[in-house]
Amino acid sequence: MGFRQTIILPLSIPFKKEVFGITKHINACALDNRQTEEVNLDDPYTVPYRGIYAVCDAKNEYAEIIEHSNCYSGAAWSLYHYAKSPLILKARSTGNMIRYFMKTGTSNLELKPSVAAAGIESVIVQGDEVEITYAGLGGGGVGATRCRAFADGVLHYRISESGGERCAKGTVVVPRRDRILIGIDDTDSKDVGATWTLTHNIARQLDCQESVYLSHSLVQLFPVPEKTQNCMSTVLEFGCVDDKAKSKLLSSFKKALEKYSASKETGLVVLSDFYAKGLYSYSNRCRTERVLKEDSLRCAEENNVEVLLDGNGVIGALASLPWFGRPEESIIPGTEIKPMCMEKTS
């Protein structure tokens, strides 16, 4: 099948672009003189993060600091250096999200240029707020102060002067969040739909400061005869500031799913938990063998999982929950999910 494009000049007028029978209107315009003369920057040395989120366990002993970057290379630099901070047990990236799994408390950073040039000094939970203190040398100090202080969702901050040869320090205060995991399966039919697209679009609509949309993972299941095609379920991860935010999120999500699902066997389950470790064994079974619905409902009850829609899709929906934030692993058939390491790893 060929590619056909029709352009109507001048460029300031909208034109049509037809690709594989899909017509899309695109507004194109030429650069005006102002855009070619000079660049004016209000704050040339600050690249604010899109958001910084703190998800905590029930006892506030552990936290996962999740940073949504606007400049991935800068965030990758942070990932390399911050991973050496004493409090951080594990650090990894998921797309443009950098995730630091760590103990709460305070540590002493030994900053060294080019080797360990920045880090997280402390994470302190105080009621419904989390205080995160960063420190860094040179450009790392700019990231530790202004770039993070001006992130969406930061309640307030304290920062020192940064840049050049300075050693800088910054403290940001963000809402304390609980992790809310939503598992979904069987929203499509033989003729229409895809669970991963529907769930992502709903999640984006419901994303807000009270209930932040953190991750989306597709989970490969054992291919049973009832599957539509690829036998995949989906887990969504949100960070909610309180029970009211959680209740509103789940009510809206369920209504949207019921409105747009193309299947009568949709499964929708919810778990409020930092790890979802009680479901590891069950999930591994669902990825290697056929599991009965009765077993799924029993497992959900034993692990305090709320079943909001109990179609046959509940089997895969429940199996998806432990795979939050692991989209590269969850898509590989038969991959076994392993317990989270609670000790510092290199």
Side-chain angles (χ1 to χ4, degrees):
M1 185 176 293
F3 176 92
R4 183 177 50 168
Q5 177 173 287
T6 302
I7 300 177
I8 302 175
L9 298 176
L11 288 177
S12 59
I13 300 176
F15 66 85
K16 292 182 179 180
K17 184 178 182 182
E18 296 184 14
V19 184
F20 304 122
I22 300 175
T23 301
K24 182 178 181 180
H25 291 275
I26 300 176
N27 289 319
C29 60
L31 291 173
D32 61 31
N33 291 332
R34 291 172 300 172
Q35 291 172 292
T36 59
E37 289 176 355
E38 62 178 319
V39 174
N40 294 304
L41 301 174
D42 294 331
D43 193 348
Y45 294 116
T46 302
V47 180
Y49 276 70
R50 297 188 196 181
I52 299 175
Y53 316 112
V55 177
C56 301
D57 74 327
K59 296 181 180 179
N60 293 327
E61 294 176 348
Y62 296 94
E64 190 165 24
I65 305 303
I66 304 173
E67 300 183 337
H68 195 176
S69 171
N70 263 318
C71 176
Y72 180 75
S73 62
W77 184 93
S78 294
L79 175 62
Y80 172 74
H81 289 272
Y82 282 31
K84 302 172 185 178
S85 302
L87 291 176
I88 295 178
L89 305 178
K90 185 176 182 180
R92 60 194 174 94
S93 65
T94 304
N96 58 1
M97 294 277 202
I98 308 296
R99 308 175 71 117
Y100 302 103
F101 172 61
M102 59 195 305
K103 293 180 180 179
T104 57
T106 302
S107 65
N108 293 318
L109 292 180
E110 295 184 8
L111 301 181
K112 299 178 182 179
S114 304
V115 178
I120 297 180
E121 184 176 280
S122 67
V123 173
I124 307 296
V125 182
Q126 297 182 335
D128 58 359
E129 296 180 348
V130 180
E131 185 179 277
I132 311 166
T133 297
Y134 303 85
L137 304 174
V142 176
T145 57
R146 298 179 64 83
C147 293
R148 286 175 169 84
F150 298 158
D152 286 345
V154 170
L155 302 175
H156 44 94
Y157 61 86
R158 303 185 302 275
I159 59 176
S160 67
E161 294 293 327
S162 59
E165 296 182 343
R166 294 185 179 94
C167 177
K169 184 178 293 188
T171 296
V172 301
V173 178
V174 298
R176 180 198 176 280
R177 299 178 186 273
D178 289 315
R179 195 181 329 268
I180 308 301
L181 304 175
I182 304 176
I184 315 97
D185 196 15
D186 206 343
T187 68
D188 52 359
S189 70
K190 297 291 184 181
D191 301 313
V192 66
T195 297
W196 74 272
T197 54
L198 173 59
T199 54
H200 174 66
N201 287 332
I202 295 174
R204 286 190 62 189
Q205 284 289 312
L206 298 178
D207 181 28
C208 62
Q209 284 299 329
E210 291 74 26
S211 298
V212 171
Y213 176 27
L214 296 175
S215 74
H216 176 288
S217 296
L218 307 181
V219 181
Q220 180 64 63
L221 305 171
F222 182 75
V224 297
E226 296 85 351
K227 68 182 178 67
T228 48
Q229 191 59 265
N230 293 315
C231 205
M232 307 281 289
S233 60
T234 301
V235 57
L236 303 172
E237 176 192 12
F238 282 83
C240 291
V241 297
D242 54 29
D243 288 340
K244 181 180 179 181
K246 172 189 171 183
S247 179
K248 182 179 179 180
L249 168 69
L250 298 182
S251 175
S252 298
F253 194 95
K254 181 181 178 183
K255 288 179 182 177
L257 200 61
E258 290 176 321
K259 179 179 180 179
Y260 291 105
S261 176
S263 170
K264 295 181 179 179
E265 295 295 340
T266 300
L268 173 62
V269 300
V270 178
L271 176 64
S272 301
D273 190 67
F274 192 63
Y275 306 104
K277 59 184 177 181
L279 296 169
Y280 283 16
S281 177
Y282 169 84
S283 183
N284 288 332
R285 280 186 60 204
C286 288
R287 287 163 67 79
T288 56
E289 63 182 82
R290 184 185 182 91
V291 175
L292 298 178
K293 182 179 177 181
E294 292 77 10
D295 293 341
S296 302
L297 295 175
R298 187 182 310 112
C299 181
E301 183 177 2
E302 292 172 351
N303 288 278
N304 299 314
V305 177
E306 301 174 66
V307 178
L308 301 186
L309 293 174
D310 63 355
N312 283 335
V314 73
I315 302 170
L318 186 63
S320 73
L321 294 178
W323 292 96
F324 69 91
R326 304 190 189 195
E328 295 89 357
E329 304 166 64
S330 61
I331 57 173
I332 303 174
T335 302
E336 182 178 349
I337 190 168
K338 297 180 180 179
M340 186 179 294
C341 181
M342 304 303 288
E343 301 295 330
K344 189 173 180 63
T345 57
S346 57

PDB file of all heavy atoms in Angstrom, residues 271-283:
ATOM      1  N   LEU A 271      -5.799  -3.020  44.511  1.00  0.00           N
ATOM      2  CA  LEU A 271      -5.029  -3.317  45.716  1.00  0.00           C
ATOM      3  C   LEU A 271      -4.278  -2.070  46.163  1.00  0.00           C
ATOM      4  O   LEU A 271      -3.594  -1.424  45.367  1.00  0.00           O
ATOM      5  CB  LEU A 271      -4.025  -4.445  45.441  1.00  0.00           C
ATOM      6  CG  LEU A 271      -3.067  -4.800  46.586  1.00  0.00           C
ATOM      7  CD1 LEU A 271      -3.844  -5.335  47.783  1.00  0.00           C
ATOM      8  CD2 LEU A 271      -2.018  -5.795  46.128  1.00  0.00           C
ATOM      9  N   SER A 272      -4.407  -1.744  47.446  1.00  0.00           N
ATOM     10  CA  SER A 272      -3.625  -0.652  48.038  1.00  0.00           C
ATOM     11  C   SER A 272      -2.476  -1.296  48.813  1.00  0.00           C
ATOM     12  O   SER A 272      -2.674  -1.807  49.914  1.00  0.00           O
ATOM     13  CB  SER A 272      -4.497   0.184  48.989  1.00  0.00           C
ATOM     14  OG  SER A 272      -5.603   0.730  48.299  1.00  0.00           O
ATOM     15  N   ASP A 273      -1.292  -1.283  48.218  1.00  0.00           N
ATOM     16  CA  ASP A 273      -0.171  -1.976  48.848  1.00  0.00           C
ATOM     17  C   ASP A 273       1.138  -1.472  48.251  1.00  0.00           C
ATOM     18  O   ASP A 273       1.203  -1.128  47.069  1.00  0.00           O
ATOM     19  CB  ASP A 273      -0.307  -3.488  48.636  1.00  0.00           C
ATOM     20  CG  ASP A 273       0.673  -4.286  49.469  1.00  0.00           C
ATOM     21  OD1 ASP A 273       0.538  -4.279  50.707  1.00  0.00           O
ATOM     22  OD2 ASP A 273       1.579  -4.897  48.892  1.00  0.00           O
ATOM     23  N   PHE A 274       2.183  -1.453  49.067  1.00  0.00           N
ATOM     24  CA  PHE A 274       3.482  -0.962  48.614  1.00  0.00           C
ATOM     25  C   PHE A 274       4.191  -1.963  47.717  1.00  0.00           C
ATOM     26  O   PHE A 274       4.908  -1.600  46.794  1.00  0.00           O
ATOM     27  CB  PHE A 274       4.347  -0.652  49.835  1.00  0.00           C
ATOM     28  CG  PHE A 274       5.595   0.130  49.527  1.00  0.00           C
ATOM     29  CD1 PHE A 274       5.519   1.408  48.996  1.00  0.00           C
ATOM     30  CD2 PHE A 274       6.847  -0.403  49.787  1.00  0.00           C
ATOM     31  CE1 PHE A 274       6.670   2.141  48.709  1.00  0.00           C
ATOM     32  CE2 PHE A 274       8.001   0.322  49.518  1.00  0.00           C
ATOM     33  CZ  PHE A 274       7.915   1.595  48.983  1.00  0.00           C
ATOM     34  N   TYR A 275       3.989  -3.280  47.973  1.00  0.00           N
ATOM     35  CA  TYR A 275       4.715  -4.309  47.233  1.00  0.00           C
ATOM     36  C   TYR A 275       3.845  -5.195  46.346  1.00  0.00           C
ATOM     37  O   TYR A 275       4.270  -5.626  45.287  1.00  0.00           O
ATOM     38  CB  TYR A 275       5.430  -5.268  48.204  1.00  0.00           C
ATOM     39  CG  TYR A 275       6.322  -4.625  49.214  1.00  0.00           C
ATOM     40  CD1 TYR A 275       5.926  -4.495  50.541  1.00  0.00           C
ATOM     41  CD2 TYR A 275       7.573  -4.155  48.849  1.00  0.00           C
ATOM     42  CE1 TYR A 275       6.759  -3.920  51.484  1.00  0.00           C
ATOM     43  CE2 TYR A 275       8.413  -3.577  49.782  1.00  0.00           C
ATOM     44  CZ  TYR A 275       7.999  -3.464  51.105  1.00  0.00           C
ATOM     45  OH  TYR A 275       8.827  -2.898  52.024  1.00  0.00           O
ATOM     46  N   ALA A 276       2.663  -5.573  46.819  1.00  0.00           N
ATOM     47  CA  ALA A 276       1.830  -6.606  46.183  1.00  0.00           C
ATOM     48  C   ALA A 276       2.537  -7.956  46.218  1.00  0.00           C
ATOM     49  O   ALA A 276       2.295  -8.826  45.385  1.00  0.00           O
ATOM     50  CB  ALA A 276       1.483  -6.241  44.738  1.00  0.00           C
ATOM     51  N   LYS A 277       3.404  -8.166  47.218  1.00  0.00           N
ATOM     52  CA  LYS A 277       4.216  -9.385  47.265  1.00  0.00           C
ATOM     53  C   LYS A 277       3.402 -10.645  47.547  1.00  0.00           C
ATOM     54  O   LYS A 277       3.818 -11.738  47.196  1.00  0.00           O
ATOM     55  CB  LYS A 277       5.316  -9.249  48.325  1.00  0.00           C
ATOM     56  CG  LYS A 277       4.810  -8.997  49.737  1.00  0.00           C
ATOM     57  CD  LYS A 277       5.970  -8.787  50.691  1.00  0.00           C
ATOM     58  CE  LYS A 277       5.482  -8.464  52.096  1.00  0.00           C
ATOM     59  NZ  LYS A 277       6.614  -8.236  53.031  1.00  0.00           N
ATOM     60  N   GLY A 278       2.216 -10.489  48.160  1.00  0.00           N
ATOM     61  CA  GLY A 278       1.387 -11.652  48.432  1.00  0.00           C
ATOM     62  C   GLY A 278       0.847 -12.313  47.185  1.00  0.00           C
ATOM     63  O   GLY A 278       0.329 -13.436  47.241  1.00  0.00           O
ATOM     64  N   LEU A 279       0.971 -11.634  46.021  1.00  0.00           N
ATOM     65  CA  LEU A 279       0.418 -12.154  44.766  1.00  0.00           C
ATOM     66  C   LEU A 279       1.491 -12.702  43.827  1.00  0.00           C
ATOM     67  O   LEU A 279       1.180 -13.096  42.709  1.00  0.00           O
ATOM     68  CB  LEU A 279      -0.366 -11.043  44.059  1.00  0.00           C
ATOM     69  CG  LEU A 279      -1.598 -10.534  44.810  1.00  0.00           C
ATOM     70  CD1 LEU A 279      -2.135  -9.276  44.146  1.00  0.00           C
ATOM     71  CD2 LEU A 279      -2.666 -11.610  44.864  1.00  0.00           C
ATOM     72  N   TYR A 280       2.736 -12.741  44.266  1.00  0.00           N
ATOM     73  CA  TYR A 280       3.821 -13.196  43.390  1.00  0.00           C
ATOM     74  C   TYR A 280       3.590 -14.624  42.903  1.00  0.00           C
ATOM     75  O   TYR A 280       3.709 -14.928  41.715  1.00  0.00           O
ATOM     76  CB  TYR A 280       5.164 -13.116  44.121  1.00  0.00           C
ATOM     77  CG  TYR A 280       5.735 -11.727  44.235  1.00  0.00           C
ATOM     78  CD1 TYR A 280       4.956 -10.585  44.014  1.00  0.00           C
ATOM     79  CD2 TYR A 280       7.063 -11.528  44.581  1.00  0.00           C
ATOM     80  CE1 TYR A 280       5.477  -9.318  44.135  1.00  0.00           C
ATOM     81  CE2 TYR A 280       7.604 -10.249  44.705  1.00  0.00           C
ATOM     82  CZ  TYR A 280       6.808  -9.151  44.483  1.00  0.00           C
ATOM     83  OH  TYR A 280       7.324  -7.888  44.585  1.00  0.00           O
ATOM     84  N   SER A 281       3.297 -15.525  43.829  1.00  0.00           N
ATOM     85  CA  SER A 281       3.125 -16.936  43.477  1.00  0.00           C
ATOM     86  C   SER A 281       1.953 -17.124  42.518  1.00  0.00           C
ATOM     87  O   SER A 281       2.052 -17.842  41.519  1.00  0.00           O
ATOM     88  CB  SER A 281       2.917 -17.772  44.743  1.00  0.00           C
ATOM     89  OG  SER A 281       2.683 -19.119  44.420  1.00  0.00           O
ATOM     90  N   TYR A 282       0.835 -16.459  42.818  1.00  0.00           N
ATOM     91  CA  TYR A 282      -0.343 -16.562  41.954  1.00  0.00           C
ATOM     92  C   TYR A 282      -0.044 -16.034  40.552  1.00  0.00           C
ATOM     93  O   TYR A 282      -0.388 -16.659  39.542  1.00  0.00           O
ATOM     94  CB  TYR A 282      -1.516 -15.794  42.562  1.00  0.00           C
ATOM     95  CG  TYR A 282      -2.682 -15.637  41.612  1.00  0.00           C
ATOM     96  CD1 TYR A 282      -3.630 -16.642  41.479  1.00  0.00           C
ATOM     97  CD2 TYR A 282      -2.812 -14.483  40.834  1.00  0.00           C
ATOM     98  CE1 TYR A 282      -4.685 -16.512  40.587  1.00  0.00           C
ATOM     99  CE2 TYR A 282      -3.859 -14.340  39.943  1.00  0.00           C
ATOM    100  CZ  TYR A 282      -4.799 -15.350  39.824  1.00  0.00           C
ATOM    101  OH  TYR A 282      -5.838 -15.226  38.941  1.00  0.00           O
ATOM    102  N   SER A 283       0.627 -14.892  40.483  1.00  0.00           N
ATOM    103  CA  SER A 283       0.936 -14.294  39.189  1.00  0.00           C
ATOM    104  C   SER A 283       1.840 -15.195  38.362  1.00  0.00           C
ATOM    105  O   SER A 283       1.643 -15.357  37.153  1.00  0.00           O
ATOM    106  CB  SER A 283       1.588 -12.923  39.385  1.00  0.00           C
ATOM    107  OG  SER A 283       1.826 -12.296  38.147  1.00  0.00           O
TER     108      SER A 283
END
